[in-house]
Amino acid sequence: MTTNPAITNQPEPAPSGSEERFRNLIENMQDFVIATTADGTVTLVNPITVNMLGYSGEHELLGKNVADTVCSSPEECKRVQEKLAVAGTLSHEWVMFKRKDGSRLDVEGNFRLVRGLQGEPIRLECVGRDMTERKRIEAERQQAEERFRILFEQAGDCILQLEIDPEGRPVILDANNATFKLLGYQRDELIGQPVSVIEVMPDASKVISARRQDVLSGKGAPFETRHRCKDGTIRDFECSVREMQVGSKTIGVSVERDITERKRIEAALGASEIRFRMLFEKSRDALMTLAPPSWFFTSGNPTTIAMFGARDEADFVSRGPWQYSPERQPDGRASADKAKEMIETAMRQGSHFFEWTHQRLSGEDFPATVLLTRIEIDGQPFLQATVRDETERVRHQSELRQAK
């Protein structure tokens, strides 16, 4: 932005053709153009200034003090005047204007203090642009970045930002706090290292390359891997990886969930699988198990599969308890919230028996009783659930009441 060339230091003669062109230029500019006397009295405004500030015409501004009409406050006006008194010109200066209705405008302007032959201040000139929307967008972007940073650092899962080097190797560009806490490394020990340094498998580079090809082909489903911690221990992770192009760089994001404890639970359950499976499979009651921290089902016997209408056990355990329930229980409470409360009670008390309304995958609701029992294997707690379909009992009780 440049100072308005049509504003001169001398008294204005009758407009010449050149001056008329400059005036037309000013009046058609999309930037603010304002001129004032040394004491701040407005002597010139262009139409965009009048419109943007919400006035009906220039007569509402001309002859008025800029501190009362244009500047957001007398203090803001004084601040700019004091800077101009020292510097003479200000470029890309951010100031706050106000509209007639009192709302604010963020303006980036170029200012000039015009002095007379004796150096006395004569006039102030400003050419500025409304930056309110840009500033709002920038503030929203910064807020979004801050929210992302908070989520990134506070996420319970490990999150690794990877940069693909010229040889196609994923190199660790950044990682969140959970990564360093779980793996035991300091930041400077991992940043800049190829991700293969934490992989346990032999030929890690080849396996990583194959996985990357799956990601690029669109077939990159979550996969399990094992990482070596700084102290030498091994932890199991379930990983989901995506790649994106950021400028000239290829950036990957790997979200990795520590499933070490889940794997240990699975191994512990497997140790007693044969003995337990006989009772489990033959029970006429619906039996199922739930494991922390997600409290999704980890198993269900044939009675369970038939009761809820699942295709098979794998289909059944793909959902949580609240997904086999209507949205709300008869008391009006959300099933998801109440299910978590029942689980917490069973974990705290050792067992918990209660009535529940379940829902088959077909959408049919049915009354049931549920017994949750806290069980530990190798020191790892989980829950066994016994569910009985009480449809017949409830129907029979209803018939007895009606018979009376």
Side-chain angles (χ1 to χ4, degrees), residues 68-86:
D68 300 324
T69 54
V70 178
C71 289
S72 60
S73 66
E75 292 76 21
E76 178 76 340
C77 188
K78 184 179 179 181
R79 179 185 69 82
V80 175
Q81 289 173 337
E82 289 178 346
K83 292 182 72 172
L84 276 173
V86 175

Side-chain angles (χ1 to χ4, degrees), residues 227-240:
H227 290 334
R228 178 176 287 105
C229 301
K230 185 177 179 179
D231 63 6
T233 57
I234 307 299
R235 302 194 72 85
D236 295 283
F237 289 88
E238 183 179 66
C239 306
S240 177

Side-chain angles (χ1 to χ4, degrees), residues 208-402:
I208 291 171
S209 178
R211 287 175 180 163
R212 183 167 179 250
Q213 292 307 311
D214 286 342
V215 171
L216 294 175
S217 67
K219 299 184 297 183
F223 58 89
E224 292 185 7
T225 191
R226 309 187 80 196
H227 290 334
R228 178 176 287 105
C229 301
K230 185 177 179 179
D231 63 6
T233 57
I234 307 299
R235 302 194 72 85
D236 295 283
F237 289 88
E238 183 179 66
C239 306
S240 177
V241 180
R242 292 291 182 271
E243 281 192 14
M244 64 201 77
Q245 203 68 28
V246 180
S248 61
K249 296 181 179 180
T250 302
I251 302 297
V253 177
S254 179
V255 180
E256 308 188 355
R257 175 158 296 178
D258 183 4
I259 58 172
T260 306
E261 292 303 308
R262 190 185 81 187
K263 301 284 281 188
R264 191 173 71 83
I265 292 171
E266 292 171 354
L269 288 173
S272 58
E273 178 69 17
I274 295 177
R275 183 175 64 255
F276 173 73
R277 182 59 63 179
M278 289 293 293
L279 297 172
F280 187 75
E281 297 287 352
K282 302 300 181 182
S283 174
R284 297 179 62 182
D285 288 328
L287 300 177
M288 58 216 77
T289 57
L290 308 86
S294 67
W295 293 114
F296 268 45
F297 292 117
T298 58
S299 66
N301 69 349
T303 305
T304 299
I305 308 307
M307 176 182 290
F308 290 103
R311 293 192 305 274
D312 49 33
E313 188 176 34
D315 181 40
F316 173 72
V317 300
S318 67
R319 304 174 186 88
W322 41 90
Q323 293 172 286
Y324 291 104
S325 307
E327 184 177 353
R328 295 189 177 277
Q329 289 298 299
D331 62 2
R333 294 186 60 188
S335 293
D337 294 338
K338 193 169 183 178
K340 292 174 183 177
E341 180 182 312
M342 300 298 103
I343 290 170
E344 290 171 357
T345 301
M347 291 297 290
R348 183 174 63 254
Q349 297 180 356
S351 66
H352 188 41
F353 180 80
F354 54 94
E355 293 184 347
W356 191 261
T357 297
H358 271 299
Q359 187 177 80
R360 308 183 207 281
L361 292 180
S362 65
E364 176 192 357
D365 294 350
F366 65 94
T369 54
V370 180
L371 174 64
L372 295 179
T373 305
R374 186 178 189 271
I375 299 173
E376 289 192 11
I377 296 180
D378 292 338
Q380 178 61 44
F382 67 100
L383 288 175
Q384 176 180 297
T386 304
V387 177
R388 288 187 178 179
D389 186 343
E390 299 291 356
T391 302
E392 289 302 314
R393 179 178 65 82
V394 171
R395 182 184 61 78
H396 180 63
Q397 289 178 344
S398 177
E399 290 175 350
L400 290 177
R401 285 194 298 270
Q402 292 175 3

Side-chain angles (χ1 to χ4, degrees), residues 149-173:
R149 173 57 59 178
I150 291 172
L151 290 173
F152 178 72
E153 293 299 348
Q154 296 186 0
D157 292 337
C158 297
I159 304 177
L160 286 79
Q161 293 183 22
L162 310 170
E163 182 177 348
I164 312 305
D165 71 8
E167 297 178 3
R169 299 179 307 168
V171 175
I172 300 172
L173 186 64

Side-chain angles (χ1 to χ4, degrees), residues 49-107:
T49 303
V50 175
N51 292 335
M52 292 296 288
L53 296 183
Y55 290 94
S56 60
E58 65 177 11
H59 65 276
E60 292 192 84
L61 291 170
L62 295 177
K64 306 293 177 60
N65 195 284
V66 72
D68 300 324
T69 54
V70 178
C71 289
S72 60
S73 66
E75 292 76 21
E76 178 76 340
C77 188
K78 184 179 179 181
R79 179 185 69 82
V80 175
Q81 289 173 337
E82 289 178 346
K83 292 182 72 172
L84 276 173
V86 175
T89 61
L90 298 175
S91 297
H92 306 295
E93 179 76 12
W94 283 83
V95 295
M96 184 76 74
F97 282 3
K98 66 179 178 184
R99 298 184 179 92
K100 184 178 179 179
D101 63 8
S103 58
R104 299 298 194 253
L105 286 171
D106 290 294
V107 174

Side-chain angles (χ1 to χ4, degrees), residues 9-10 113-123:
N9 298 339
Q10 303 300 324
L113 174 61
V114 180
R115 296 183 181 275
L117 296 177
Q118 305 302 318
E120 72 281 9
I122 295 177
R123 184 171 58 253

